Amino acid sequence: MLNALLSPLRAQANPDWTEPFPPFHIAGNLYYVGSKGLANYLITTPRGHILINSDLESSVPLIRASVEKLGFKFSDIRILLISHAHWDHDGGSAEVKRLTGAKYMVMDADVPVVESGGKADFQYGSSPASLYPPTKVDRVLHDGDEVKLGSATLVAHLTAGHTKGCTTWTMKVVEGGKSYDVVIVGSPNVNEGYKLVENSSYPQIASDYERTFRVLKSLPVDIFLGAHGDYFDMKTKYPRFEKGDATAFIDPVGYKAYVADREAAFRAELAKQTTALQSH
């Protein structure tokens, strides 16, 4: 009940999160089915589909409508994945599972958070607005694990820091006879209030971020996507794409620039917090 009351508050804080966005075909068997601000991806196969992210509890009807608008059945979703265990990416998971019977697969370090409905989160566990229905995980993933369905193979890369099990997904798609490397970034962001030094609830947070940037820089990328549309500048790219520019989301240069920018922001915040601690 509390979550139902809080959902509208979250939406008011981030209106883009609940604003519908036209679902569209990205490349190969990969589709966008999210809102303006929260990104969801549908990977289709003859044996059923994979959905990445369930968003807010209130988002599920919007995601379903997007899937159906593209001509696919929501009930054919067999696997549910997430980018990371925050309410804006996994709050609707219990409802997606209930409607589809999908197997829920989550990176190991995020499993306690998902199964506690957010209560085990190192930063937001005691914030009522950050909680959501606890959801049972059907398969615990580890760094480098593959998720396969039909002809689709996704690889789970642990890119921790933002959450302990934050996951960046990679896959290959074929479009126009060419193969493309897709990267769906989990999140490299340091949220406001995150303690990067002497964090008793997440002691290795800074070293996890360091590792994440090494991983992100090592991934081959053609098509750059992420957990929020603003990571990959969707609002600018989509109009170009709609006008027939099939290469709008092919952006290895933009990916490198984004990762470099986020790493610089992390390093600046780490330096600031380290200096503040030393001056006490």
Side-chain angles (χ1 to χ4, degrees), residues 88-152:
D88 53 331
H89 303 288
D90 72 346
S93 293
E95 181 68 357
V96 171
K97 275 191 76 174
R98 186 185 73 77
L99 291 170
T100 65
K103 294 275 184 281
Y104 194 20
M105 304 181 185
V106 176
M107 188 67 78
D108 48 3
D110 269 356
V111 171
V113 182
V114 164
E115 294 195 331
S116 68
K119 287 179 182 171
D121 185 84
F122 73 91
Q123 182 73 16
Y124 304 115
S126 58
S127 165
S130 305
L131 306 181
Y132 47 87
T135 314
K136 178 158 186 348
V137 171
D138 301 293
R139 178 185 168 193
V140 177
L141 299 172
H142 304 92
D143 184 35
D145 277 358
E146 292 185 343
V147 172
K148 294 185 177 185
L149 183 66
S151 55

Side-chain angles (χ1 to χ4, degrees), residues 244-277:
D245 181 0
T247 65
F249 293 100
I250 298 170
D251 190 13
V253 173
Y255 174 80
K256 282 179 186 157
Y258 172 75
V259 172
D261 175 76
R262 294 296 80 206
E263 183 175 17
F266 157 73
R267 296 202 180 281
E269 184 58 29
L270 180 62
K272 182 177 145 191
Q273 291 188 23
T274 304
T275 303
L277 193 71

Side-chain angles (χ1 to χ4, degrees), residues 130-276:
S130 305
L131 306 181
Y132 47 87
T135 314
K136 178 158 186 348
V137 171
D138 301 293
R139 178 185 168 193
V140 177
L141 299 172
H142 304 92
D143 184 35
D145 277 358
E146 292 185 343
V147 172
K148 294 185 177 185
L149 183 66
S151 55
T153 301
L154 285 93
V155 182
H157 301 268
L158 176 65
T159 47
H162 189 73
T163 66
K164 293 180 182 181
C166 186
T167 308
T168 291
W169 292 99
T170 60
M171 64 181 291
K172 287 185 184 291
V173 295
V174 176
E175 182 67 37
K178 284 186 185 174
S179 178
Y180 295 98
D181 286 300
V182 178
V183 177
I184 303 171
V185 177
S187 177
N189 293 325
V190 179
N191 280 11
E192 193 177 339
Y194 272 26
K195 276 183 71 178
L196 298 176
V197 288
E198 295 193 358
N199 187 331
S200 58
S201 56
Y202 190 179
Q204 77 279 18
I205 185 169
S207 60
D208 276 1
Y209 270 112
E210 297 266 8
R211 181 187 173 278
T212 283
F213 288 111
R214 288 197 298 274
V215 170
L216 291 175
K217 286 188 276 191
S218 76
L219 298 175
V221 56
D222 299 308
I223 296 173
F224 166 32
L225 304 168
H228 289 271
D230 60 4
Y231 290 7
F232 58 98
D233 199 17
M234 184 175 76
K235 287 174 201 170
T236 304
K237 290 174 180 172
Y238 177 73
R240 284 171 40 207
F241 186 76
E242 202 184 17
K243 284 177 188 162
D245 181 0
T247 65
F249 293 100
I250 298 170
D251 190 13
V253 173
Y255 174 80
K256 282 179 186 157
Y258 172 75
V259 172
D261 175 76
R262 294 296 80 206
E263 183 175 17
F266 157 73
R267 296 202 180 281
E269 184 58 29
L270 180 62
K272 182 177 145 191
Q273 291 188 23
T274 304
T275 303

